Amino acid sequence: MRIAMYIFLLLAAGAACSCSTSGRLARRDAQALLSHTPRPLRAVAPPADTVRRIRTNTEFDLIPVEVTYENGEETYNIWLDAVTVVAPSRTVPERCGHIEIDFLVTLPRILQSNCRSIVLRPVLHREQERIPLEEISLRGTLFDRVQRRDYWQYVRYLERFRPDSVHAARGFRRFVRYPLPEGVRADSVTRAGQDISLRYVQRIPAAEAGRRLLVILEGEIRGLDGSVYPLPPSDTLRYNISSMLFFADTTTRYVERIIEKHIRVSDRKRLAFRAGESCIVDTLENNEVQLSLIAQLMEKIFDRREYAVDSIVLRAGASPEGPVRLNERLSRERAWNLQHRFAAWFPSLPLDTLIRTGGIGEDWETLAALIRQDDNIVHKQEIEMLIEQEQDPDLRETRIAACFPEEYAYMQRMLYPRLRAVHIDYRLHRTDMVQDTLVTTRPDSLYAEGVGLMQQRQYDAALGILAPYADINTAICLLSVNRNAQALELLLSLSDDDARVCYLRAIAYARQGKPTQSLQAFDAACALNEDLSYRAALDPELSELIKNR
């Protein structure tokens, strides 16, 4: 066994010495080639999301592999027909929130050798950002055998010495000179002999694409002699993105704004009162904070010169426990006490003539709303019905306590304190207005925000804003998220005299599997704008229909 190992290492060393990598390739300026995929191959392209990420020596996912045997060893050969090189720029459509680019990577024979490992790295350039895509790894048969031998030695080392993680890492660096690639699109063993062409398909989210994409090819070649040859940068492939945003309506939309001369500002604050009392105690519960908020709002209203205060209506409420007449008196007294507090805050203002006070009494309306919202009350429907049917407030409370004692105790503890609140209505008017109402127009900022999101290709977010407007921009968002039936229904409700609308109808009909209606809509669009006849070549839904009509 040892003799066989020594013979193998001597053969590998001899082969490595005879395989000078960097020098010979640098003299010839050898490089890998990058080109757009020809149309015949694009027509049968597999969906990008079906390309599996593999690292195996028995299959190659992107192109067919033929297995042969040489000296008892399996060899994997990759065969493709001659590659047609096309122009370095191509237009790709944006569909369903994604853009799919595909290209061919050609590896000339001169770069290949049994004792070399080739790593090809497509790099996507988007505006100022550089995004490396998944790598492709191609290894010669001898290089692969050396790698296998290194890993075999490393596994034997682990089994024999059982090292800890630190020593295991050191052992890996010692035994494995050429680690297997990680996280690659494809990894294969090849036999040199002819040019190899690989097809690469990549899907990119539309929101991240921008208007143009650039792809270059980088990589390096490693030899068993330890030399490294960085591949010279390839030609740049350019992808121009064709989007339905071409039809977007970017004109400013205006909305009418009705300005009223008279304004009403309502404020509701909860003040805690002791049961059966009307005096305001600052230290009771959260009263100090609530009083401070009331004072801040009043100060803000009186400081604004464009408004004048006509009146302030101050009302206070009470909870239902106790006799109804007592609660009515308590609510009025609580409003009066708060009015006196206002007068102490603003002694220079004529608050005695501006403020009108009143009492709400037992605030059953607010109590019913709180009961509907509270899931802790089991018999909420029965209690609401009892409140509606019983006209006497005192008897009403007695019946609730008798029929639903647990809920009544909960209401006393959790809901009744929230009924002891004050309601303040400020009646104002604009000092610079003579008319009671004024109608003005202003840009619709919400609509502009939706259009901005659409232009950034954030279609779901844009649709959340633009859906109520039901215009051509809404239809574009619907088509962009593949809601074709809904988009077609909307487009049919828009004007027949708009060429953009007719063209988008053609796309929607085509996606719905209605070629006749699609061609009719396309002809109508071209009759309104003949330039759209050239646009169809950029939209895959229409290009084949028109070619085969």
Side-chain angles (χ1 to χ4, degrees):
M1 180 66 183
R2 292 195 175 196
I3 296 175
M5 181 179 69
Y6 291 146
I7 294 175
F8 175 81
L9 292 176
L10 288 173
L11 289 174
C17 294
S18 64
C19 296
S20 177
T21 298
S22 57
R24 186 160 62 93
L25 295 178
R27 287 193 298 270
R28 299 194 180 189
D29 194 25
Q31 66 177 52
L33 305 176
L34 193 64
S35 63
H36 286 296
T37 306
R39 185 178 297 274
L41 290 180
R42 294 202 306 267
V44 294
D49 53 5
T50 64
V51 177
R52 292 176 289 118
R53 274 86 173 153
I54 60 171
R55 194 194 71 187
T56 175
N57 290 320
T58 59
E59 57 178 321
F60 196 95
D61 192 62
L62 300 181
I63 52 180
V65 176
E66 177 182 330
V67 182
T68 60
Y69 292 87
E70 181 179 353
N71 298 326
E73 297 288 342
E74 291 183 350
T75 304
Y76 301 90
N77 302 323
I78 304 174
W79 304 98
L80 273 188
D81 294 334
V83 175
T84 303
V85 179
V86 296
S89 180
R90 185 159 72 85
T91 300
V92 292
E94 173 203 338
R95 289 297 181 268
C96 303
H98 288 85
I99 294 160
E100 186 174 285
I101 61 174
D102 62 284
F103 48 86
L104 294 179
V105 179
T106 302
L107 193 68
R109 277 180 295 184
I110 190 175
L111 296 179
Q112 305 172 50
S113 171
N114 287 335
C115 56
R116 295 175 189 165
S117 170
I118 305 172
V119 175
L120 303 174
R121 187 181 308 108
V123 180
L124 178 68
H125 290 264
R126 183 186 63 210
E127 296 179 352
Q128 303 300 321
E129 190 175 5
R130 181 181 183 276
I131 307 173
L133 303 179
E134 290 177 314
E135 298 176 347
I136 299 172
S137 172
L138 302 174
R139 289 171 287 127
T141 53
L142 181 56
F143 196 98
D144 175 66
R145 289 159 64 184
V146 171
Q147 281 184 310
R148 289 172 181 268
R149 181 65 187 184
D150 289 349
Y151 275 90
W152 177 82
Q153 289 180 320
Y154 176 63
V155 171
R156 290 292 302 273
Y157 165 74
L158 295 179
E159 293 174 348
R160 182 172 182 178
F161 295 99
R162 301 184 181 278
D164 57 22
S165 58
V166 175
H167 288 86
R170 292 177 181 173
F172 184 85
R173 291 193 296 269
R174 174 186 173 188
F175 290 107
V176 181
R177 293 168 295 170
Y178 308 104
L180 291 170
E182 298 287 342
V184 295
R185 172 67 65 93
D187 178 22
S188 181
V189 179
T190 63
R191 183 182 65 179
Q194 66 174 19
D195 294 352
I196 297 176
S197 292
L198 312 174
R199 183 169 180 188
Y200 202 106
V201 181
Q202 181 73 24
R203 294 186 73 190
I204 302 167
E208 302 177 2
R211 295 184 178 181
R212 175 178 293 184
L213 299 174
L214 306 178
V215 177
I216 64 172
L217 188 67
E218 299 176 353
E220 62 270 351
I221 300 176
R222 294 184 179 273
L224 290 177
D225 59 353
S227 61
V228 178
Y229 175 67
L231 290 173
S234 67
D235 292 336
T236 301
L237 298 185
R238 293 173 175 82
Y239 293 89
N240 299 313
I241 299 172
S242 168
S243 171
M244 282 180 286
L245 293 176
F246 174 80
F247 301 101
D249 185 358
T250 58
T251 57
T252 303
R253 180 185 286 263
Y254 293 90
V255 292
E256 287 189 350
R257 180 188 180 192
I258 300 177
I259 302 176
E260 300 284 349
K261 178 179 180 180
H262 298 280
I263 305 169
R264 180 175 175 177
V265 179
S266 297
D267 188 25
R268 184 180 188 274
K269 291 292 186 291
R270 176 191 164 190
L271 291 179
F273 295 91
R274 293 191 178 96
E277 296 184 10
S278 61
C279 58
I280 300 175
V281 181
D282 291 26
T283 57
L284 186 62
E285 294 187 14
N286 200 34
N287 281 359
E288 186 175 0
V289 174
Q290 297 296 310
L291 290 169
S292 175
L293 294 174
I294 294 173
Q296 291 175 19
L297 178 59
M298 289 189 67
E299 186 175 4
K300 185 181 298 185
I301 289 176
F302 282 113
D303 284 348
R304 298 191 65 171
R305 297 182 179 181
E306 63 267 30
Y307 298 110
V309 180
D310 296 327
S311 64
I312 301 174
V313 179
L314 179 60
R315 298 177 302 154
S319 53
E321 73 266 54
V324 63
R325 291 189 177 181
L326 173 62
N327 290 329
E328 290 176 353
R329 179 175 62 80
L330 284 175
S331 66
R332 289 194 299 269
E333 291 177 356
R334 289 167 180 173
W336 292 335
N337 290 334
L338 187 58
Q339 180 186 12
H340 296 153
R341 184 64 63 94
F342 287 179
W345 289 340
F346 304 97
S348 61
L349 297 176
L351 296 182
D352 55 340
T353 58
L354 289 177
I355 295 180
R356 291 183 294 164
T357 61
I360 299 174
E362 297 178 357
D363 195 354
W364 286 96
E365 182 179 350
T366 302
L367 178 60
L370 294 175
I371 291 173
R372 284 192 296 270
Q373 298 169 5
D374 199 321
D375 294 334
N376 294 312
I377 299 177
V378 179
H379 302 91
K380 60 177 62 180
Q381 294 182 350
E382 293 85 345
I383 296 174
E384 284 189 67
M385 186 178 300
L386 196 153
I387 292 174
E388 294 177 0
Q389 292 176 350
E390 182 56 59
Q391 300 300 315
D392 187 339
D394 290 335
L395 185 57
R396 182 188 303 159
E397 186 186 23
T398 303
R399 291 183 60 185
I400 293 175
C403 297
F404 311 103
E406 294 183 3
E407 280 89 345
Y408 178 74
Y410 175 82
M411 289 161 53
Q412 270 193 319
R413 187 174 67 256
M414 303 302 298
L415 303 186
Y416 276 19
R418 298 170 65 180
L419 304 179
R420 302 169 195 138
V422 293
H423 302 258
I424 310 171
D425 287 334
Y426 302 91
R427 313 291 174 84
L428 318 174
H429 72 269
R430 300 178 189 272
T431 57
D432 58 346
M433 282 186 61
V434 178
Q435 299 175 334
D436 288 340
T437 58
L438 180 64
V439 180
T440 62
T441 58
R442 61 174 179 175
D444 190 339
S445 58
L446 183 63
Y447 183 81
E449 180 184 354
V451 173
L453 289 171
M454 179 184 68
Q455 291 177 324
Q456 296 171 17
R457 295 187 169 93
Q458 300 180 31
Y459 297 114
D460 288 316
L463 196 56
I465 297 175
L466 299 178
Y469 293 91
D471 64 353
I472 190 170
N473 289 334
T474 311
I476 290 173
C477 290
L478 289 170
L479 288 171
S480 298
V481 296
N482 215 27
R483 293 164 62 175
N484 304 311
Q486 194 174 347
L488 180 58
E489 182 180 358
L490 173 57
L491 289 165
L492 291 174
S493 68
L494 302 179
S495 173
D496 295 335
D497 298 330
D498 190 332
R500 300 171 302 172
V501 170
C502 295
Y503 192 92
L504 292 175
R505 287 178 189 171
I507 292 178
Y509 274 127
R511 291 186 180 182
Q512 292 289 93
K514 300 177 180 179
T516 303
Q517 294 93 323
S518 177
L519 290 173
Q520 290 174 352
F522 174 73
D523 292 337
C526 294
L528 295 169
N529 182 357
E530 61 181 9
D531 292 340
L532 291 178
S533 59
Y534 304 103
R535 160 79 193 191
L538 305 179
D539 295 306
E541 296 92 344
L542 302 180
S543 58
E544 291 299 321
L545 282 179
I546 296 170
K547 185 188 302 182
N548 300 324
R549 67 187 307 178

